[in-house]
Amino acid sequence: MKSLHQRIVLSDLYQSDAVKPRRLEAEAVRDAILAASGKLNLKLYGPSVPPFISPFQNGRGRPASGPLDGEGRRSIYIQIRRNFVPPLFTAFDYPPPASTTGVRGTSAVPSQALMLLNNEFVQQQSREFAASLLAASSALNTRVEQAYIRAFSRKPAPAELARIAEFLVAQAGRPELDAFADVVHVLLNSPEFIYVR
């Protein structure tokens, strides 16, 4: 058995670097969305911001809702109310504030993609992201390149650029902001955006 173990451990495959993707925590997902849209407020300290309370969040002691974007403040400045945790946080395994949690769980479930697709905050920031790209340049390639750099820290591959151009041509009857907001919404909903290697 020892010789078998030695052979396995010394093999190239065993010694190769296995880079495992790690999903961002709930707060990091929200902050990354704000950073990509250009709306992240880097101000330090100060009072916390009341959380946005969705119309679907009901319960006793429902507090007044804060701004949808949390004034652009980083997630550590968002107040957490025990019975009104922001849905984006809940979907991405934010620990329940009613009890102590030694280790935060990490899941990869379909509800996370649905949350990124349907959440009001993500939709709002997709429009902000698209609006900033449209204002910065009139060239499609430049806009798409900047979207990829801000979302993924890389330029798009030629095939990705061609697919986006094809999509935007098919959307010719819609307002440009709406069509481009859909493009960046897809980028924010991709595994490459919420996972790091």
Side-chain angles (χ1 to χ4, degrees):
M1 286 300 272
K2 279 186 177 181
S3 61
L4 177 61
H5 286 168
Q6 182 180 20
R7 189 170 180 187
I8 292 170
V9 171
L10 295 176
S11 70
D12 289 337
L13 183 60
Y14 187 86
Q15 293 180 7
S16 67
D17 185 22
V19 179
K20 202 170 181 184
R22 178 181 60 84
R23 203 204 67 229
L24 296 174
E25 295 84 9
E27 303 93 326
V29 169
R30 181 184 172 278
D31 291 354
I33 290 169
L34 283 168
S37 72
K39 296 297 180 181
L40 183 64
N41 179 349
L42 296 175
K43 177 186 168 193
L44 298 175
Y45 315 114
S48 58
V49 180
F52 173 75
I53 307 297
S54 166
F56 303 107
Q57 290 178 283
N58 293 316
R60 202 168 85 197
R62 186 174 196 262
S65 180
L68 179 58
D69 67 350
E71 298 174 6
R73 300 292 307 271
R74 291 180 52 214
S75 296
I76 60 169
Y77 294 107
I78 301 296
Q79 292 175 5
I80 297 298
R81 302 293 179 102
R82 184 171 54 187
N83 294 331
F84 297 95
V85 177
L88 185 67
F89 286 6
T90 304
F92 285 93
D93 305 313
Y94 190 83
S99 62
T100 56
T101 304
V103 177
R104 187 181 293 206
T106 303
S107 64
V109 294
S111 60
Q112 292 164 348
L114 290 171
M115 181 60 65
L116 288 173
L117 187 63
N118 297 313
N119 184 265
E120 305 103 320
F121 167 76
V122 181
Q123 292 173 352
Q124 176 199 51
Q125 293 306 307
S126 295
R127 289 187 70 78
E128 295 285 352
F129 190 173
S132 69
L133 293 168
L134 296 178
S137 175
S138 59
L140 174 65
N141 287 2
T142 304
R143 290 172 174 173
V144 175
E145 186 175 290
Q146 285 305 305
Y148 269 75
I149 289 170
R150 285 164 61 177
F152 306 140
S153 299
R154 68 171 177 87
K155 292 184 178 182
E160 292 169 326
L161 189 58
R163 275 196 304 257
I164 290 172
E166 184 181 332
F167 170 78
L168 291 171
V169 166
Q171 303 296 309
R174 294 176 64 204
E176 190 176 37
L177 177 60
D178 292 348
F180 220 82
D182 287 349
V183 169
V184 296
H185 197 171
V186 168
L187 300 183
L188 297 179
N189 202 4
S190 69
E192 187 174 354
F193 185 75
I194 61 170
Y195 284 86
V196 291
R197 293 184 180 272

